């Protein structure tokens, strides 16, 4: 923050998202009807300070719209509605308004998003992203048949994810099983493009649950600190879908190597997430559990932090990497020893037992 001297000015740019300000009107449509949405907001910017002059510009996707009586004095320029200029607006003053407009394209939001990151000091990071995507448009009030030529309704049938260039072992699945309708292509010199096709198109009111997994190189995100066994992990916590939808319930989990001790966690400025207590996870070959960080947020809008990453500072001894190999070796050695002991014991018992075929003279 910069202290302003009397007479000085400063320009501020703010972004706000209304997750519940748009609804389908009517909530159901019949065959051949267009979908309309209703936006409810205000002509004034809600501010705790008195405002000398202000104006509001509403950009719409179509020229077909109607304005509520509270804003009939607005000027119309194609797909834009210009409100004001208003002068001497008091602090916290409101002027509610609503706009009903035609939405030619389908909408897409994420009711739930969970990003699971598994860090391994054997050289890779495993990432799993789970989505529950939802189309908040009006519900189709008629029977939907595939291949119906006269059927026209906005829908979403695919999505695109931008993965790191080092992404390998990519897997795309849903509750039914593996989804083969996907393509993985190169997208420039720094990323790979994962094209996802849903099992069915998302019409208004429909949702789909799926996830995809991939592995990436650990060395691209991990740096060694100045102290012994100290590491700094910088990872991207946002979804890789492009464009990323607005998220109602956001969750991220980071599983560090077994035996790691967390020193600090730093998020980009302006990001506030709810923190769950530190817990333990038990991935494959885990003996005592891996420290797991979990963060949540209600109503999250991706893309506002311009690619900034979260940083995790922790200590980890390289000797901890030998836990799993030693455990595997000890297990097989125990099995081998048991088999040898059992075989020798069986031979010893056979020599001590009398032969039933032997005859007594």
């Amino acid at each position: 923050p910069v202290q302003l001297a009397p007479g000085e000015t400063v320009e501020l740019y703010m972004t706000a998202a209304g997750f519940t300000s748009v609804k389908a009107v009517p909530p159901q449509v019949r065959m051949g009807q267009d979908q309309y949405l209703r936006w409810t907001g205000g002509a004034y910017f809600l501010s705790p300070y008195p405002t000398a002059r202000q104006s509001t510009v509403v950009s719409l996707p179509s020229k077909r719209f109607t304005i509520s009586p509270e804003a009939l004095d607005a000027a119309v320029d194609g797909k834009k509605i210009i409100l004001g200029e208003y002068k001497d607006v008091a602090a916290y003053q409101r002027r509610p308004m609503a706009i009903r407009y035609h939405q030619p394209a389908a909408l897409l939001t994420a009711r739930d998003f969970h990003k699971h990151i598994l860090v391994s000091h054997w050289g890779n990071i495993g990432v799993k992203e789970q989505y529950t995507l939802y189309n908040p448009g009006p519900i189709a009030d008629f029977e939907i048949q595939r291949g119906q030529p006269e059927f026209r309704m906005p829908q979403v049938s695919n999505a695109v994810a931008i993965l790191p260039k080092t992404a390998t072992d990519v897997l795309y699945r849903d509750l039914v099983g593996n989804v083969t309708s996907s393509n993985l292509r190169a997208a420039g010199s720094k990323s790979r493009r994962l094209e996802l096709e849903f099992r069915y198109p998302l019409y208004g009111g429909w949702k789909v649950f799926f996830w995809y997994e991939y592995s990436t190189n650990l060395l691209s995100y991990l740096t060694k600190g100045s102290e012994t066994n100290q590491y700094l992990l910088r990872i991207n916590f946002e979804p890789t879908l492009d464009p990323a939808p607005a998220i109602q319930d956001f969750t991220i989990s980071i599983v560090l190597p077994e035996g790691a001790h967390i020193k600090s966690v730093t998020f980009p400025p302006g990001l506030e997430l709810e923190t769950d207590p530190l817990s333990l996870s038990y991935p494959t070959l885990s003996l005592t559990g891996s420290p797991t960080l979990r963060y949540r947020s209600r109503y999250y809008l991706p893309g506002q932090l311009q690619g900034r990453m979260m940083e995790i500072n922790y200590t980890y001894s390289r000797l901890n990497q030998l836990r799993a190999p030693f455990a595997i070796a000890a297990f097989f050695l125990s099995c081998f020893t048991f088999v040898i002991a059992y075989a020798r014991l069986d031979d010893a018992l056979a020599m001590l037992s009398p032969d039933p075929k032997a005859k007594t003279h």
Side-chain angles (χ1 to χ4, degrees), residues 175-198:
L175 294 177
V176 178
N178 188 37
V179 184
T180 58
S181 57
S182 60
N183 295 302
L184 184 62
R185 311 177 188 275
S189 59
K190 297 183 179 180
S191 61
R192 306 185 73 181
R193 178 185 177 94
L194 177 61
E195 300 173 351
L196 308 172
E197 290 286 340
F198 304 147

Side-chain angles (χ1 to χ4, degrees), residues 51-252:
T51 306
R53 299 190 311 271
Q54 71 168 275
S55 59
T56 302
V57 178
V58 182
S59 299
L60 300 173
S62 172
K63 296 181 180 180
R64 297 158 56 184
F65 57 83
T66 56
I67 310 175
S68 60
E70 296 84 358
L72 291 180
D73 58 341
V76 177
D77 183 11
K79 300 179 182 180
K80 293 184 179 181
I81 302 175
I82 305 173
L83 303 164
E85 180 178 75
Y86 303 113
K87 297 181 179 181
D88 299 327
V89 180
Y92 296 107
Q93 186 174 352
R94 298 175 180 267
R95 187 179 180 182
M97 61 171 293
I99 301 175
R100 181 178 182 269
Y101 61 94
H102 173 236
Q103 176 65 39
L107 301 177
L108 191 65
T109 61
R111 286 187 170 179
D112 181 78
F113 168 74
H114 186 183
K115 188 167 187 176
H116 184 84
I117 301 174
L118 177 62
V119 181
S120 172
H121 271 241
W122 289 101
N124 71 298
I125 297 178
V127 182
K128 179 180 179 180
E129 298 188 20
Q130 295 179 342
Y131 295 85
T132 301
L133 299 183
Y134 172 72
N135 184 347
I139 301 174
D141 190 16
F142 52 88
E143 183 179 355
I144 297 177
Q145 299 180 2
R146 289 196 175 190
Q148 189 172 352
E150 66 274 10
F151 177 67
R152 294 292 183 271
M153 185 176 182
Q155 57 177 281
V156 181
S157 58
N158 53 58
V160 174
I162 305 299
L163 306 183
K165 181 182 178 180
T166 57
T168 58
D169 302 327
V170 181
L171 182 66
Y172 171 37
R173 297 176 61 89
D174 60 9
L175 294 177
V176 178
N178 188 37
V179 184
T180 58
S181 57
S182 60
N183 295 302
L184 184 62
R185 311 177 188 275
S189 59
K190 297 183 179 180
S191 61
R192 306 185 73 181
R193 178 185 177 94
L194 177 61
E195 300 173 351
L196 308 172
E197 290 286 340
F198 304 147
R199 290 190 184 272
Y200 51 85
L202 295 183
Y203 297 105
W206 291 21
K207 64 180 180 178
V208 62
F209 173 76
F210 65 92
W211 68 90
Y212 52 86
E213 308 173 24
Y214 61 92
S215 298
T216 185
N217 189 1
L218 175 65
L219 297 179
S220 301
Y221 306 91
L222 188 71
T223 56
K224 192 168 178 25
S226 56
E227 301 179 5
T228 305
N229 298 328
Q230 182 180 1
Y231 297 92
L232 178 64
L233 180 67
R234 302 179 70 251
I235 55 176
N236 180 15
F237 55 90
E238 292 199 323
T240 54
L241 282 186
D242 186 35
I247 302 171
Q248 295 184 13
D249 290 299
F250 173 89
T251 306
I252 178 173

